[in-house]
Amino acid sequence: MTPTLVISHPACLDHRPGPGHPESPERLRAVLAALRSPQFAALAWRDAPLGTLEQVHLIHDPAFVDEVAGIAPRQGFIPLDGGDTVMSPGSWEAVMRCVGAACAGVDAVLGGQARNVFCATRPCGHHAEPARAMGFCIFNQAAIAAAYAHEMHQLARVAVVDFDVHHGNGTQAAFYNRPELFYASSHQSPLYPGTGFAAETGVSHNIVNVPLPRGCGSGTFRERIQAEMLPALREFEPELLIISAGFDAHRLDPLAGLNLEDADFAWITRELMQIAEAACRGRIVSILEGGYSLEGLATGTMAHVRELMWE
């Protein structure tokens, strides 16, 4: 068994939202360069397959999916939500590679091919709601992966934990009335998209939100995660853990105001791995979400993946 598998694809570089857009191809280039450095020589790599419409429909309304497919441009740019979320000629393949990577990651860990998986893909996905693209996100690959594990692999309980600085409103919306799917998020509040209050708990307390104040650093972050998120995740006892791994809570990030360090991303990764080891034989699929300082994104990803590789 491969300890840690990275799934990526060059097509994810061809989603180009336009000059000056924070969600640029340079983000993924920074991540890939970091993970190709000698200290990560033990990683295994695999190209992401194309996702299928059947997989996308596990979360997203078919009419919405048809609309996105129909307006994907042959040239130029098409805005999907007033300008934040933009499609270019390469965007359709990029998002379908994101979906394919996430579902292939589920297959790999549940099939015993890898202990855990990191999907180095873009664009991010956790803001995409069942019938709406928003916040740089077109399809929600983390939510799709969870539904795929439940529907196709017959898992009774699947969890998504999200430490991106922004609340994953799309994942919460998709899971809110599905007690077999658990979503926990730590995020700055108030901040875009304006959701993720602690009172939003889902149909069976399967939603756990940990809103953090602007300026929050390591101490408060770790205390709140230990007190509010991790006990609920343990109680849920997931058969598979999916991580929405955003690194825009890093102190260097220009789009938000939390002050986390690389060590905090390593810490939460270790904590999640311990729970996964006890609940589901260590089976984790981690999926890249946000992070808009290239330095913070690269070093945060390195800290995260270094822990995933730990035997």
Side-chain angles (χ1 to χ4, degrees):
M1 177 190 293
T2 297
T4 299
L5 171 66
V6 177
I7 304 180
S8 189
H9 198 280
C12 292
L13 296 168
D14 293 331
H15 168 64
R16 301 177 185 275
H21 196 288
E23 211 295 275
S24 74
E26 297 308 312
R27 297 181 58 248
L28 183 55
R29 289 194 178 97
V31 167
L32 295 176
L35 297 183
R36 292 288 191 186
S37 63
Q39 64 183 288
F40 294 99
L43 288 171
W45 291 75
R46 183 182 299 175
D47 277 350
L50 280 170
T52 67
L53 291 178
E54 179 184 24
Q55 290 167 347
V56 178
H57 291 162
L58 292 170
I59 290 295
H60 294 289
D61 294 352
F64 165 67
V65 177
D66 290 346
E67 178 185 3
V68 172
I71 66 174
R74 294 180 179 272
Q75 59 184 7
F77 305 98
I78 297 289
L80 297 179
D81 67 341
D84 279 347
T85 311
V86 179
M87 291 191 77
S88 67
S91 297
W92 177 260
E93 181 176 352
V95 297
M96 294 305 284
R97 295 289 181 184
C98 290
V99 171
C103 293
V106 171
D107 290 338
V109 297
L110 295 182
Q113 301 165 31
R115 186 185 60 180
N116 56 53
V117 167
F118 181 69
C119 296
T121 53
R122 59 173 287 277
C124 40
H126 69 157
H127 292 309
E129 297 182 347
R132 182 185 181 192
M134 61 182 289
F136 309 165
C137 304
I138 298 173
F139 295 149
N140 191 328
Q141 50 264 31
I144 290 168
Y148 177 79
H150 172 66
E151 300 288 342
M152 302 303 172
H153 287 274
Q154 302 297 300
L155 298 191
R157 296 176 310 283
V158 184
V160 174
V161 171
D162 186 341
F163 52 74
D164 190 279
V165 81
H166 301 95
H167 180 244
N169 58 291
T171 310
Q172 176 170 295
F175 288 12
Y176 209 83
N177 294 309
R178 298 186 62 172
E180 73 278 9
L181 301 178
F182 173 96
Y183 177 64
S185 172
S186 63
H187 48 272
Q188 182 180 329
S189 179
L191 190 67
Y192 181 91
T195 53
F197 296 100
E200 299 165 10
T201 59
V203 69
S204 64
H205 297 282
N206 58 314
I207 305 293
V208 176
N209 286 308
V210 183
L212 301 169
R214 183 178 183 86
C216 171
S218 299
T220 299
F221 171 73
R222 297 189 189 199
E223 289 170 8
R224 296 280 304 279
I225 294 295
Q226 285 181 322
E228 300 169 43
M229 180 187 288
L230 300 183
L233 180 62
R234 289 190 190 96
E235 184 177 354
F236 184 74
E237 293 185 309
E239 295 176 274
L240 172 68
L241 175 58
I242 294 168
I243 300 175
S244 277
F247 299 96
D248 39 9
H250 197 286
R251 62 179 178 82
L252 296 178
D253 200 90
L255 297 191
L258 297 190
N259 290 310
L260 301 191
E261 306 278 353
D262 296 338
D264 296 308
F265 297 114
W267 173 82
I268 193 170
T269 304
R270 287 195 300 272
E271 294 290 323
L272 295 175
M273 289 178 70
Q274 289 173 11
I275 293 174
E277 195 63 41
C280 56
R281 303 197 296 276
R283 300 186 300 197
I284 292 175
V285 176
S286 180
I287 299 169
L288 182 65
E289 296 280 2
Y292 305 98
S293 158
L294 296 184
E295 180 184 347
L297 173 61
T299 61
T301 299
M302 292 169 73
H304 175 60
V305 174
R306 193 179 294 116
E307 295 301 325
L308 290 178
M309 296 172 68
W310 185 258
E311 295 278 0

